Structures are given as structure tokens and as C-alpha cells.
Amino acid sequence: MDTARGRARDAQRRAEQFRRVRDAHQTEVAEDYVELVADLIEETGEARVVDLSERLGVTKATVNNTIQRLQRDGLVTSQPYRSIFLTEKGRALAETSRERHHTVRDFLLALGVDADTAEADLEGIEHHVSEPTLEAFRKFLRKSG
């Protein structure tokens, strides 16, 4: 009986891990977009579909579809042929994403990972790292810095 309960607990734990990964995948695109919109606004004063398309390596149609979804989610505002702007909710998500991005990058660099590899690897890690692990990264960086 204990073996059956143990298997059930293992199955529940795995299911929870898969759920967490699925949830991360759903927010990954939104986080990347709002972070890039914030970066473009800071760098150039505006975020345009063509700039997002170029930087993300996707078509303008893909960007337009994603922007429509982000508008429905209350993260951005946009009008046809106009720049894209972050809502308050979008700015908060961009700031959270940016902080997570910097923490993961700095952690990888502190471990001795070269800058190009760290930038490439963090794109996947930053969306899937749990808050406790992220806090452990921060603690490590505070101790080593």
C-alpha cells in the first residue's frame, strides 16, 4: 500500500511540474514581447510592429496577432499604423521579466559561463525558473558580489 501511495505522490509531483512548465510556456511570449516593447520605447521612443518583427525574427503578421492577444490581456495598447504602448499591467510585467532576465544572466556569468552562451541559455531558463530558485540565484549573487 505504501508503494501505491508513493507512486501516486510521484505522479502528482510530476503532473504539477508539467503544469508549471505549461503555464510558463503560456506566459513566455507575453513576457518576451512586453520586455522588448519596453526596451524599444527606452531606446527609440517607440515600439513598432516592424521593429518587433525584426528583433524577434518573426513575421509582421505574427507580431500583429500577438499584439492583439496582448491587448485582450490588458498588457498593451495599439491602434492601426501606430506605435505600441504598455499599459500599467504591461509595464509591471516588463519590469518583472527584465529583473528575472538580469538575475539569470548575472548568475550564469558568475558561474563562469561566457556572455554569448549566457544570453542564449537565459532565454529558456528565465521563463521556467521558480521563484525559490530565482531567490537562491539572488542570494548567491549577493554573497559573491
XYZ file of all heavy atoms in Angstrom, residues 42-111:
559
model
N 12.357 52.639 -24.573
C 13.513 53.280 -23.926
C 14.577 53.683 -24.945
O 15.164 54.752 -24.844
C 14.136 52.348 -22.889
C 13.403 52.314 -21.584
C 14.092 51.418 -20.565
O 15.309 51.143 -20.707
O 13.410 50.995 -19.622
N 14.847 52.791 -25.913
C 15.919 53.032 -26.888
C 15.547 54.047 -27.958
O 16.372 54.875 -28.339
C 16.299 51.717 -27.582
C 16.971 50.704 -26.691
C 17.102 49.338 -27.362
O 17.011 49.255 -28.609
O 17.287 48.354 -26.629
N 14.319 53.957 -28.484
C 13.959 54.754 -29.652
C 12.772 55.679 -29.438
O 12.443 56.462 -30.321
C 13.643 53.837 -30.862
O 12.452 53.090 -30.576
C 14.791 52.890 -31.161
N 12.107 55.541 -28.299
C 10.936 56.368 -28.032
C 9.632 55.747 -28.502
O 8.566 56.297 -28.240
N 9.722 54.624 -29.221
C 8.508 53.961 -29.678
C 8.777 52.489 -29.958
O 9.918 52.080 -30.148
C 7.955 54.634 -30.942
C 8.856 54.494 -32.147
C 8.286 55.161 -33.387
O 7.114 55.571 -33.389
O 9.031 55.247 -34.380
N 7.696 51.727 -29.972
C 7.771 50.313 -30.333
C 6.830 50.109 -31.508
O 5.635 50.363 -31.400
C 7.361 49.439 -29.149
N 7.402 49.667 -32.623
C 6.609 49.458 -33.836
C 6.608 47.983 -34.206
O 7.536 47.249 -33.860
C 7.194 50.273 -34.996
C 7.249 51.772 -34.712
C 7.934 52.541 -35.820
N 9.224 51.936 -36.141
C 9.815 52.024 -37.346
N 9.235 52.687 -38.327
N 10.985 51.453 -37.555
N 5.581 47.567 -34.904
C 5.457 46.173 -35.335
C 6.693 45.748 -36.111
O 7.243 44.668 -35.880
C 4.169 45.975 -36.174
C 4.175 44.612 -36.858
C 2.940 46.122 -35.292
N 7.152 46.602 -37.019
C 8.315 46.253 -37.848
C 9.553 46.006 -36.989
O 10.335 45.091 -37.258
C 8.571 47.320 -38.942
C 8.999 48.651 -38.336
C 9.595 46.828 -39.943
N 9.727 46.789 -35.924
C 10.882 46.608 -35.039
C 10.769 45.312 -34.243
O 11.761 44.590 -34.073
C 11.014 47.793 -34.081
C 11.237 49.095 -34.813
O 11.966 49.094 -35.826
O 10.670 50.123 -34.382
N 9.569 45.025 -33.740
C 9.358 43.770 -33.016
C 9.599 42.584 -33.939
O 10.261 41.614 -33.561
C 7.941 43.713 -32.439
C 7.653 44.657 -31.282
C 6.161 44.790 -31.057
C 8.335 44.173 -30.025
N 9.071 42.664 -35.142
C 9.233 41.601 -36.129
C 10.711 41.335 -36.404
O 11.163 40.188 -36.401
C 8.511 41.995 -37.422
O 8.799 41.096 -38.452
N 11.450 42.405 -36.609
C 12.876 42.292 -36.918
C 13.654 41.691 -35.749
O 14.461 40.785 -35.918
C 13.420 43.677 -37.262
C 14.863 43.699 -37.686
C 15.291 45.115 -38.039
O 14.860 45.615 -39.086
O 16.040 45.706 -37.234
N 13.404 42.185 -34.552
C 14.166 41.727 -33.384
C 13.809 40.321 -32.936
O 14.633 39.611 -32.374
C 13.984 42.695 -32.226
C 14.590 44.047 -32.516
C 15.310 44.579 -31.339
N 15.777 45.935 -31.591
C 16.122 46.761 -30.643
N 16.041 46.390 -29.383
N 16.567 47.958 -30.940
N 12.551 39.923 -33.165
C 12.126 38.594 -32.750
C 12.297 37.555 -33.850
O 12.172 36.351 -33.603
C 10.661 38.623 -32.296
C 10.392 39.405 -31.010
C 8.898 39.614 -30.817
C 11.006 38.695 -29.811
N 12.554 38.020 -35.071
C 12.734 37.092 -36.181
C 11.451 36.400 -36.591
O 11.467 35.234 -36.979
N 10.338 37.113 -36.487
C 9.037 36.575 -36.885
C 8.387 37.543 -37.868
O 8.826 38.685 -38.026
C 8.108 36.345 -35.668
C 8.712 35.313 -34.720
C 7.822 37.639 -34.929
N 7.322 37.100 -38.517
C 6.649 37.954 -39.491
C 5.849 39.052 -38.793
O 5.497 38.932 -37.611
C 5.681 37.134 -40.368
O 4.624 36.633 -39.543
C 6.410 35.980 -41.068
N 5.545 40.093 -39.560
C 4.706 41.176 -39.031
C 3.317 40.648 -38.672
O 2.713 41.103 -37.704
C 4.610 42.313 -40.038
C 5.914 43.072 -40.191
C 5.765 44.188 -41.198
C 7.056 44.238 -41.996
N 6.950 44.976 -43.221
N 2.829 39.679 -39.446
C 1.520 39.077 -39.145
C 1.544 38.389 -37.781
O 0.587 38.506 -37.000
C 1.134 38.089 -40.238
N 2.637 37.691 -37.491
C 2.774 37.040 -36.180
C 2.773 38.082 -35.075
O 2.106 37.919 -34.049
C 4.067 36.193 -36.127
O 3.967 35.161 -37.107
C 4.292 35.588 -34.756
N 3.520 39.166 -35.282
C 3.557 40.239 -34.280
C 2.161 40.830 -34.106
O 1.703 41.028 -32.974
C 4.576 41.329 -34.668
C 4.466 42.534 -33.732
C 5.993 40.770 -34.642
N 1.478 41.118 -35.203
C 0.125 41.694 -35.108
C -0.818 40.786 -34.334
O -1.577 41.258 -33.483
C -0.439 41.981 -36.511
C 0.088 43.270 -37.075
O 0.245 44.256 -36.379
N 0.364 43.261 -38.368
N -0.775 39.489 -34.601
C -1.629 38.546 -33.875
C -1.303 38.528 -32.386
O -2.207 38.500 -31.545
C -1.493 37.138 -34.455
C -2.120 37.013 -35.822
O -3.014 37.773 -36.184
N -1.653 36.049 -36.593
N -0.023 38.547 -32.079
C 0.385 38.522 -30.669
C -0.006 39.821 -29.978
O -0.490 39.798 -28.839
C 1.899 38.265 -30.549
O 2.206 37.038 -31.223
C 2.331 38.181 -29.091
N 0.177 40.945 -30.659
C -0.200 42.239 -30.078
C -1.697 42.272 -29.793
O -2.133 42.788 -28.751
C 0.237 43.411 -30.988
C 1.768 43.501 -31.046
C -0.378 44.731 -30.532
C 2.453 43.695 -29.705
N -2.504 41.709 -30.681
C -3.953 41.646 -30.433
C -4.255 40.849 -29.173
O -5.103 41.230 -28.368
C -4.670 41.043 -31.639
C -4.727 41.971 -32.825
C -5.348 41.319 -34.054
O -5.822 40.185 -34.003
N -5.322 42.041 -35.158
N -3.542 39.744 -28.991
C -3.737 38.929 -27.779
C -3.296 39.701 -26.536
O -3.973 39.702 -25.511
C -2.964 37.609 -27.877
C -3.204 36.703 -26.661
C -2.583 35.333 -26.819
N -1.154 35.342 -26.977
C -0.285 35.344 -25.968
N -0.699 35.339 -24.725
N 1.010 35.333 -26.206
N -2.166 40.416 -26.648
C -1.679 41.202 -25.512
C -2.640 42.342 -25.183
O -2.781 42.717 -24.018
C -0.275 41.735 -25.799
C 0.823 40.673 -25.977
C 2.150 41.330 -26.317
C 0.945 39.786 -24.756
N -3.296 42.888 -26.202
C -4.313 43.917 -25.957
C -5.488 43.309 -25.189
O -5.968 43.908 -24.226
C -4.811 44.517 -27.274
C -3.834 45.494 -27.886
C -4.339 46.047 -29.211
O -4.596 45.300 -30.152
N -4.477 47.351 -29.270
N -5.946 42.138 -25.621
C -7.050 41.463 -24.921
C -6.676 41.166 -23.473
O -7.527 41.205 -22.585
C -7.428 40.168 -25.637
C -8.238 40.363 -26.889
C -8.828 39.053 -27.393
N -7.849 38.004 -27.589
C -7.181 37.780 -28.721
N -7.395 38.538 -29.770
N -6.311 36.791 -28.801
N -5.388 40.859 -23.243
C -4.913 40.560 -21.890
C -4.629 41.812 -21.067
O -4.231 41.714 -19.905
C -3.646 39.702 -21.957
C -3.909 38.305 -22.506
O -5.088 37.882 -22.577
O -2.929 37.624 -22.888
N -4.809 42.980 -21.683
C -4.615 44.244 -20.960
C -3.168 44.635 -20.749
O -2.864 45.409 -19.842
N -2.245 44.123 -21.582
C -0.822 44.411 -21.402
C -0.314 45.540 -22.297
O 0.669 46.193 -21.946
C -0.001 43.138 -21.666
C -0.279 41.982 -20.707
C 0.375 40.705 -21.205
C 0.203 42.334 -19.312
N -0.944 45.745 -23.451
C -0.524 46.796 -24.378
C -1.745 47.502 -24.957
O -2.864 46.979 -24.916
C 0.343 46.257 -25.555
C 1.590 45.558 -25.055
C -0.467 45.347 -26.466
N -1.479 48.676 -25.503
C -2.478 49.378 -26.299
C -1.844 49.672 -27.645
O -0.629 49.846 -27.746
C -2.939 50.693 -25.650
O -1.816 51.554 -25.489
C -3.598 50.442 -24.299
N -2.664 49.703 -28.668
C -2.164 49.966 -30.013
C -3.332 50.316 -30.910
O -4.467 49.897 -30.655
C -1.449 48.725 -30.554
O -1.034 48.926 -31.880
N -3.037 51.093 -31.928
C -4.018 51.392 -32.965
C -3.346 51.099 -34.295
O -2.117 51.138 -34.392
C -4.452 52.850 -32.895
C -5.204 53.194 -31.629
C -5.577 54.660 -31.581
O -5.343 55.404 -32.518
N -6.145 55.059 -30.464
N -4.133 50.814 -35.330
C -3.518 50.522 -36.629
C -2.547 51.625 -37.059
O -2.848 52.817 -36.922
C -4.718 50.432 -37.576
C -5.875 50.069 -36.687
C -5.586 50.731 -35.367
N -1.389 51.194 -37.538
C -0.343 52.100 -38.054
C 0.203 53.048 -36.989
O 0.721 54.107 -37.294
C -0.850 52.884 -39.275
C -1.463 51.984 -40.307
C -2.838 51.948 -40.479
C -0.677 51.125 -41.068
C -3.422 51.088 -41.409
C -1.247 50.268 -41.997
C -2.612 50.255 -42.157
O -3.174 49.408 -43.062
N 0.099 52.670 -35.741
C 0.613 53.487 -34.641
C 1.581 52.654 -33.803
O 1.639 51.445 -33.929
C -0.532 53.991 -33.754
C -1.658 54.704 -34.473
C -1.274 56.067 -34.889
N -0.966 56.832 -33.690
C -0.955 58.131 -33.637
N -1.219 58.824 -34.693
N -0.667 58.752 -32.531
N 2.293 53.326 -32.933
C 3.200 52.627 -32.024
C 2.420 51.786 -31.018
O 1.216 51.972 -30.833
C 4.066 53.635 -31.271
O 4.924 54.290 -32.158
N 3.137 50.910 -30.367
C 2.575 50.043 -29.338
C 3.013 50.599 -27.985
O 4.176 50.969 -27.803
C 3.091 48.604 -29.522
C 2.688 48.092 -30.909
C 2.581 47.690 -28.417
C 3.558 46.970 -31.419
N 2.092 50.650 -27.057
C 2.375 51.183 -25.730
C 2.004 50.159 -24.672
O 1.058 49.400 -24.848
C 1.583 52.476 -25.484
C 1.901 53.544 -26.480
C 1.112 53.712 -27.604
C 3.009 54.362 -26.310
C 1.413 54.686 -28.543
C 3.317 55.331 -27.243
C 2.514 55.505 -28.364
N 2.759 50.159 -23.595
C 2.471 49.263 -22.479
C 1.430 49.898 -21.569
O 1.472 51.100 -21.306
C 3.733 48.985 -21.668
C 4.839 48.221 -22.375
C 6.094 48.188 -21.503
C 4.394 46.811 -22.718
N 0.522 49.081 -21.071
C -0.378 49.521 -20.014
C 0.392 49.448 -18.698
O 1.532 48.966 -18.658
C -1.611 48.597 -19.933
O -1.155 47.287 -19.573
C -2.382 48.572 -21.250
N -0.238 49.873 -17.632
C 0.400 49.750 -16.314
C 0.707 48.282 -16.007
O 1.780 47.942 -15.524
C -0.513 50.347 -15.236
C 0.190 50.581 -13.917
C 1.368 51.547 -14.026
O 1.279 52.559 -14.732
O 2.405 51.250 -13.389
N -0.244 47.420 -16.327
C -0.054 45.978 -16.134
C 1.097 45.467 -16.999
O 1.911 44.653 -16.557
C -1.362 45.257 -16.488
C -1.356 43.771 -16.304
C -2.736 43.195 -16.664
C -2.728 41.687 -16.662
N -4.043 41.141 -17.079
N 1.189 45.952 -18.231
C 2.268 45.560 -19.137
C 3.621 46.044 -18.642
O 4.617 45.312 -18.731
N 3.661 47.280 -18.123
C 4.929 47.804 -17.575
C 5.389 46.985 -16.381
O 6.575 46.699 -16.237
C 4.781 49.275 -17.190
C 4.926 50.224 -18.361
C 5.015 51.680 -17.915
N 3.761 52.181 -17.384
C 2.747 52.626 -18.122
N 2.835 52.620 -19.423
N 1.655 53.070 -17.556
N 4.452 46.598 -15.538
C 4.802 45.787 -14.359
C 5.351 44.427 -14.798
O 6.360 43.953 -14.249
C 3.581 45.608 -13.458
N 4.722 43.804 -15.781
C 5.211 42.517 -16.283
C 6.576 42.677 -16.935
O 7.472 41.850 -16.725
C 4.216 41.904 -17.275
C 4.623 40.546 -17.857
C 4.800 39.501 -16.761
C 3.592 40.087 -18.888
N 6.764 43.753 -17.698
C 8.063 44.003 -18.340
C 9.153 44.176 -17.295
O 10.256 43.638 -17.445
C 7.983 45.234 -19.241
N 8.858 44.897 -16.236
C 9.859 45.124 -15.185
C 10.201 43.821 -14.469
O 11.377 43.535 -14.210
C 9.360 46.167 -14.188
C 10.398 46.596 -13.183
C 11.681 47.129 -13.820
O 11.600 47.860 -14.824
O 12.777 46.800 -13.304
N 9.200 43.020 -14.174
C 9.436 41.719 -13.541
C 10.268 40.828 -14.458
O 11.223 40.181 -14.015
C 8.100 41.029 -13.206
O 7.382 41.856 -12.292
C 8.303 39.661 -12.596
N 9.923 40.803 -15.744
C 10.661 39.992 -16.716
C 12.099 40.465 -16.834
O 13.024 39.657 -16.892
C 10.005 40.078 -18.099
O 8.870 39.310 -18.153
N 12.279 41.767 -16.901
C 13.624 42.337 -17.039
C 14.476 41.989 -15.824
O 15.640 41.610 -15.961
C 13.523 43.858 -17.205
C 14.858 44.503 -17.494
C 14.717 45.995 -17.679
N 14.053 46.244 -18.949
C 13.370 47.349 -19.219
N 13.236 48.278 -18.323
N 12.836 47.517 -20.409
N 13.897 42.081 -14.626
C 14.655 41.762 -13.406
C 15.039 40.293 -13.401
O 16.169 39.937 -13.080
C 13.821 42.118 -12.167
C 14.626 42.068 -10.860
C 14.735 40.675 -10.261
O 13.823 39.847 -10.488
O 15.733 40.399 -9.566
N 14.112 39.413 -13.779
C 14.397 37.982 -13.839
C 15.486 37.714 -14.870
O 16.420 36.950 -14.632
C 13.116 37.201 -14.189
C 13.313 35.718 -14.090
C 12.076 34.882 -14.378
N 10.823 35.443 -13.966
C 9.871 35.884 -14.805
N 10.048 35.807 -16.101
N 8.755 36.372 -14.345
N 15.385 38.366 -16.018
C 16.363 38.245 -17.099
C 17.765 38.595 -16.588
O 18.719 37.838 -16.772
C 15.939 39.193 -18.234
C 16.813 39.180 -19.431
N 16.471 38.544 -20.597
C 18.022 39.746 -19.666
C 17.425 38.716 -21.487
N 18.373 39.449 -20.949
N 17.880 39.745 -15.913
C 19.185 40.189 -15.404
C 19.722 39.253 -14.325
O 20.920 38.963 -14.296
C 19.100 41.624 -14.874
C 18.894 42.635 -15.933
N 19.872 43.003 -16.825
C 17.805 43.359 -16.276
C 19.405 43.908 -17.652
N 18.145 44.131 -17.355
N 18.837 38.776 -13.463
C 19.279 37.883 -12.394
C 19.834 36.578 -12.967
O 20.917 36.138 -12.576
C 18.122 37.575 -11.420
O 17.692 38.804 -10.822
C 18.544 36.595 -10.341
N 19.102 35.981 -13.912
C 19.562 34.723 -14.503
C 20.863 34.947 -15.269
O 21.814 34.171 -15.139
C 18.478 34.093 -15.401
C 19.024 32.879 -16.156
C 17.266 33.693 -14.569
N 20.930 36.031 -16.049
C 22.158 36.325 -16.806
C 23.341 36.515 -15.856
O 24.405 35.915 -16.046
C 21.978 37.590 -17.658
C 23.233 37.891 -18.497
C 23.299 39.315 -18.977
N 23.313 40.192 -17.821
C 22.738 41.384 -17.793
N 22.095 41.855 -18.818
N 22.794 42.117 -16.705
N 23.154 37.330 -14.828
C 24.246 37.587 -13.889
C 24.678 36.323 -13.164
O 25.869 36.120 -12.909
C 23.837 38.672 -12.885
C 23.662 40.026 -13.534
O 24.050 40.207 -14.716
O 23.106 40.923 -12.861
N 23.719 35.461 -12.840
C 24.038 34.197 -12.193
C 24.890 33.329 -13.111
O 25.919 32.790 -12.694
C 22.749 33.472 -11.793
C 22.981 32.129 -11.166
C 23.466 32.022 -9.861
C 22.717 30.966 -11.867
C 23.683 30.788 -9.270
C 22.931 29.718 -11.282
C 23.414 29.639 -9.988
N 24.486 33.199 -14.371
C 25.256 32.383 -15.313
C 26.660 32.953 -15.516
O 27.642 32.202 -15.547
C 24.519 32.278 -16.652
C 23.203 31.499 -16.615
C 22.466 31.612 -17.957
C 23.432 30.048 -16.236
N 26.758 34.273 -15.616
C 28.078 34.901 -15.760
C 28.938 34.652 -14.527
O 30.138 34.381 -14.646
C 27.931 36.401 -16.025
C 27.303 36.785 -17.366
C 27.049 38.295 -17.411
C 28.172 36.336 -18.531
N 28.327 34.717 -13.334
C 29.065 34.483 -12.086
C 29.579 33.048 -12.001
O 30.603 32.786 -11.364
C 28.186 34.805 -10.876
N 28.884 32.129 -12.666
C 29.335 30.730 -12.690
C 30.469 30.510 -13.688
O 31.046 29.432 -13.736
C 28.170 29.802 -13.050
C 27.063 29.668 -12.019
C 25.949 28.774 -12.558
C 27.593 29.122 -10.698
